[in-house]
Amino acid sequence: MVFYLLVGLYLLVCLLLLLVVLMQQGKGGDMASAFGARAGATVLTRATTVLGALFMIGAIVLGVYGQQGPGSVLSGVKGSAAPAPAAPAPAPVKK
């Protein structure tokens, strides 16, 4: 139950991050903007920073939390009595 709650919150963070990034204006790609002074952080840039951090932390938490449990998908499955594979056919003789 907790796992599904974490996944739901993670999806909400992902959607909010997507919206915040799309709402921002471009910084400009000219040479002057590369060496010019940066403007102060706006609400959108701070939201991007916070949501980006939550995105990364959430990915790590879900990755670690998802590793808990049985070591293999087939750990509880009983094997079937399948016959052994047939021997390969002999190679043809060259004359």
Side-chain angles (χ1 to χ4, degrees):
M1 183 68 178
V2 175
F3 180 74
Y4 295 114
L5 179 66
L6 289 174
V7 170
L9 289 174
Y10 187 69
L11 286 175
L12 181 66
V13 168
C14 291
L15 291 174
L16 288 175
L17 181 61
L18 178 80
L19 290 174
V20 168
V21 167
L22 289 176
M23 287 179 11
Q24 291 182 8
Q25 285 185 336
K27 301 284 184 195
D30 56 349
M31 188 62 81
S33 67
F35 297 106
R38 289 186 53 186
T42 64
V43 175
L44 288 177
T45 56
R46 289 185 186 190
T48 304
T49 304
V50 170
L51 289 171
L54 288 174
F55 175 80
M56 289 185 271
I57 292 169
I60 293 170
V61 167
L62 285 175
V64 170
Y65 191 73
Q67 291 294 323
Q68 310 225 349
S72 173
V73 176
L74 299 175
S75 63
V77 178
K78 294 182 181 179
S80 63
V93 179
K94 293 184 181 179
K95 290 184 181 183

